[in-house]
Amino acid sequence: MLSLDLSGKNAFVAGVADDRGFGWAIARHLAAAGASVRVGTWPPALGIFTKSLERGKLDQSLPGDAEGEWSPAKIYPLDAEYDTADAVPVDVAENKRYAGLDGYTISEVAEQLGADLQGEGSGKLDILVHSLANGPEVQNDLLDTSRSGYLAAIGASAYSLVSMVQRFGPIMSDGGAVVSLSYLAAERAIPGYGGGMSSAKAALEGDTRTLAFEAGRRFGIRVNAISAGPLASRAAKAIGTIERMVDYYAENAPIQKELEADHVGATAAFLCSPLAAAVSGETLHVDMGYHAMGMIADTDLLTED
Ligand code: NAD
């Protein structure tokens, strides 16, 4: 029997703060395949996430035939807008949601994680997942986006992947895998996905190819992206039209089913497994086939006169 076996592997999933998004679904699929999964959580969402976990309010069940419950092996505060401690502005460091926390920049988390893995004897990280994005002006058309809003979207949503591969790469095992999350707006115009977020996803997909080459040569790891269909996650609700987008996809995609976070979780587990050992630099659509359409399906052209 062919099996997707990640037992003995160490995974870090950045961008988990509740049980409704892709990060959580990916984490529970990696756990169901046997990996030990740590997560990175944005400091402003950390309190509510840890409280919800402690109070048993999150769906911790494992998918498929796996038995038992999943829980992160460790939660690291992570703000992927900052690479090093000296890059954190004073007003952020002193903000009440950050005060009392330290070590939440990308380089510091990589360092702590490396030390934690060394301490356990296993030493290396095998799987790195980037499942985060932020665009403060996402509700503005690109045409109405400010320079600072555009650069903030690119910084938090695309450069953060470059920085993470740069800083986590040295602690990753030969044959390790990186996966990030993209969206069709990288390739096609999507009304309502503004604020430079389409630009950030285009950068993310381009960087996936270049990082696949460079990190493949330097660290021996694979780098891929998943271009996911719409999901009404907490982040996506900021777009404002997400529920209508979900219905639109379900009506017009080749497979007329609503995308679930678990569909993406399962594909990510595959991409991070030895089954995908020859896949790198790829952006894989997990969207019920919607990206393949050139015309919407409910057009009058399809009905006979
Ligand atoms: P989500 O809310 O579960 O995940 C986004 C996470 O990013 C949150 O946990 C948030 O706290 C975190 N985050 C925001 N800014 C951060 C920062 N500076 N540092 C660290 N973490 C930060 O929502 P999701 O929709 O599952 O998003 C995950 C990924 O999937 C994102 O890259 C998103 O663009 C992508 N995606 C989402 C959809 C969709 O329709 N939901 C479709 C395609 C791709």
Side-chain angles (χ1 to χ4, degrees):
M1 195 176 74
L2 187 67
S3 75
L4 200 161
D5 183 8
L6 297 176
S7 46
K9 304 281 185 201
N10 291 306
F12 180 74
V13 182
V16 179
D18 60 41
D19 61 355
R20 304 206 305 265
F22 290 131
W24 180 268
I26 293 170
R28 51 198 279 280
H29 277 77
L30 296 174
S36 164
V37 187
R38 292 164 159 85
V39 303
T41 302
W42 195 37
L46 185 65
I48 178 109
F49 177 53
T50 47
K51 271 197 202 88
S52 306
L53 255 180
E54 279 160 23
R55 293 180 186 161
K57 289 195 171 161
L58 303 182
D59 175 10
Q60 292 178 250
S61 63
L62 288 168
D65 298 334
E67 284 179 10
E69 293 218 318
W70 171 76
S71 190
K74 182 167 172 182
I75 302 168
Y76 298 73
L78 168 70
D79 194 323
E81 272 185 56
Y82 308 116
D83 302 313
T84 51
D86 58 6
V88 181
V90 174
D91 62 320
V92 171
E94 290 177 354
N95 182 292
K96 67 174 181 342
R97 296 182 300 182
Y98 288 76
L101 297 176
D102 58 13
Y104 49 78
T105 66
I106 293 176
S107 60
E108 292 169 295
V109 174
E111 207 175 299
Q112 278 172 44
L113 179 59
D116 289 348
L117 294 173
Q118 286 289 348
E120 279 180 10
S122 48
K124 290 284 183 184
L125 181 70
D126 304 291
I127 295 166
L128 174 64
V129 178
H130 175 286
S131 182
L132 59 95
N134 204 351
E137 296 183 24
V138 66
Q139 294 203 1
N140 289 359
D141 281 357
L142 179 61
L143 203 49
D144 299 322
T145 298
S146 70
R147 182 183 293 267
S148 66
Y150 182 95
L151 294 177
I154 296 264
S157 314
Y159 182 74
S160 53
L161 174 71
V162 176
S163 178
M164 285 177 65
V165 175
Q166 188 185 110
R167 294 162 199 279
F168 285 70
I171 63 163
M172 290 189 72
S173 57
D174 192 23
V178 179
V179 169
S180 72
L181 272 296
S182 189
Y183 180 50
L184 191 62
E187 316 162 54
R188 304 272 185 268
I190 305 281
Y193 196 78
M197 280 305 300
S198 56
S199 326
K201 292 305 189 191
L204 189 82
E205 293 187 13
D207 294 345
T208 296
R209 293 183 280 274
T210 305
L211 290 173
F213 169 66
E214 295 180 358
R217 294 295 174 96
R218 200 178 297 179
F219 308 121
I221 59 179
R222 300 181 290 107
V223 183
N224 291 295
I226 289 175
S227 178
L231 174 82
S233 63
R234 186 183 292 252
K237 288 199 166 154
I239 300 168
T241 51
I242 187 68
E243 264 94 13
R244 274 186 287 147
M245 282 169 78
V246 167
D247 292 345
Y248 180 88
Y249 268 64
E251 276 162 31
N252 292 295
I255 299 166
Q256 287 188 280
K257 282 187 187 150
E258 202 172 296
L259 182 82
E260 291 168 17
D262 281 353
H263 292 120
V264 170
T267 306
F270 156 72
L271 282 175
C272 293
S273 78
L275 295 177
V279 183
S280 195
E282 181 69 9
T283 296
L284 185 57
H285 295 90
V286 182
D287 63 353
M288 300 293 169
Y290 178 81
H291 68 282
M293 299 299 292
M295 184 190 281
I296 60 171
D298 63 2
T299 167
D300 290 344
L301 287 174
L302 299 180
T303 50
E304 285 180 40
D305 291 331

